[in-house]
Amino acid sequence: MGARREAHEALAAAGLRPRKRWGQHFLCDPAVAQRIVDAAALGPDSVVLEIGPGLGALTDELAARAARLYLVEIDRGLTARLAARYAERPHVRVLQGDVLTLPLDELVAEPSATVVANLPYNISTPVVFRLLELRRRFPRAILTLQREVAVRLASPPGRATYGVTSVLVQAFAEVRLRFAVSRRSFFPRPQIDSTVVELAWTAAPRVEIGDVRLFTSVVRAAFGQRRKMLRNALGGLMTGKGLSAAAGRALYTRAGIDPAARAEQLDLAAFGRLARVLSEAPSQVTRPDDPPQH
Ligand code: SAM
């Protein structure tokens, strides 16, 4: 494959080799690159942040279509190569550093930018959560992710793939699986296949969830013991609020949720109701003779 050889030669010419620790699997399929950039649906005013541009499989096309393009790359060797390549293109800004710690909201001057990234597999979930935090500034993302991660993000309730990531991300984003990308499209070839995902973030939650931190705690606790019934999995949380067994049962009734259900069966709205009734419940001091809740 010509593009595979080109990637190999480009690395060698820069005195580099693919680094496992940074999940360096370079896209070598121009047709896939084109589809990814098309999925970003850029217009003449679009501002784009590309995370991990690497050898630039997507970058030339992004530079051609975007009004402003920011590139964030952790590998100094690749960053130097990108800086040289785009030195004459003032609308392209190359930033060296870790996407998980750089102050992206300060570095990107424009109020809103689209994220495009073929993410390193080892940090893809943390990056999604970072984008969740920064969603007001980066309201759309086109991400190439390990297929299993993509499926988890988009998973509906009732499946083994439905979990903390599905609920917390879907609370603030519409998740669309766009298309599959074979492992054969990358050099070096990874052990896994990928899926391109579109995330359309919303500033406010997509259903009423009450206090975000409490909602997050409820979701994490419920899935922390996903085989247990909710009344057991959430027992600690209720006890922590000082709720008696009777008060705990009343909460489930108010939320319209069966306490014998398991986390996997609750949709986003049900988690939202549960978190809300819990936040509204007056904390009680449990008397020593109160029976335990579970
Ligand atoms: N976009 C290129 C492509 O499609 O061929 C490269 C994709 S490769 C899977 C991931 C890229 O992300 C590599 O260039 C790697 O150096 C970079 N990277 C890894 N960890 C990073 C981090 N924490 N912050 C910024 N870039 C990172």
Side-chain angles (χ1 to χ4, degrees), residues 22-27 50 52-54 57 73-74 97-99 118 120 123:
W22 289 325
Q24 291 180 350
H25 298 279
F26 301 103
L27 183 63
E50 187 186 0
E73 173 57 60
I74 200 166
D98 183 345
V99 66
N118 170 13
I123 58 162

Side-chain angles (χ1 to χ4, degrees), residues 156-170:
R159 304 220 178 129
T161 49
Y162 184 64
V164 172
T165 311
S166 330
V167 180
L168 297 184
V169 171
Q170 289 172 27

Side-chain angles (χ1 to χ4, degrees), residues 22-186:
W22 289 325
Q24 291 180 350
H25 298 279
F26 301 103
L27 183 63
C28 294
D29 187 330
V32 172
Q34 192 70 35
R35 281 185 84 185
I36 293 172
V37 178
D38 286 347
L42 304 175
D45 299 328
S46 295
V47 178
V48 176
L49 166 66
E50 187 186 0
I51 302 169
L55 288 169
L58 308 173
T59 317
D60 277 347
E61 196 58 32
L62 291 172
R65 296 195 202 180
R68 189 105 167 90
L69 173 63
Y70 293 85
L71 307 174
V72 173
E73 173 57 60
I74 200 166
D75 184 320
R76 287 181 190 279
L78 291 174
T79 309
R81 188 176 175 275
L82 290 159
R85 181 154 153 186
Y86 295 106
E88 308 295 320
R89 312 284 298 275
H91 76 301
V92 180
R93 178 148 184 230
V94 182
L95 304 162
Q96 190 277 322
D98 183 345
V99 66
L100 293 174
T101 54
L102 281 176
L104 298 174
D105 46 345
E106 291 168 23
L107 293 168
V108 173
E110 294 76 5
S112 171
T114 299
V115 174
V116 179
N118 170 13
L119 286 178
Y121 301 122
N122 50 341
I123 58 162
S124 53
T125 303
V127 170
V128 169
F129 279 101
R130 177 120 175 85
L131 295 177
L132 168 76
E133 279 169 31
L134 298 173
R135 65 189 180 279
R136 288 176 182 80
R137 298 289 307 283
F138 303 97
R140 267 186 84 237
I142 302 294
L143 306 178
T144 307
L145 301 168
Q146 177 177 352
R147 187 177 61 192
E148 288 72 14
V149 174
V151 167
R152 276 210 297 278
L153 284 180
S155 183
R159 304 220 178 129
T161 49
Y162 184 64
V164 172
T165 311
S166 330
V167 180
L168 297 184
V169 171
Q170 289 172 27
F172 291 94
E174 193 184 322
V175 183
R176 276 182 69 199
L177 301 182
R178 296 295 298 254
F179 55 90
V181 183
S182 161
R183 66 190 72 186
R184 290 193 303 274
S185 297
F186 296 93

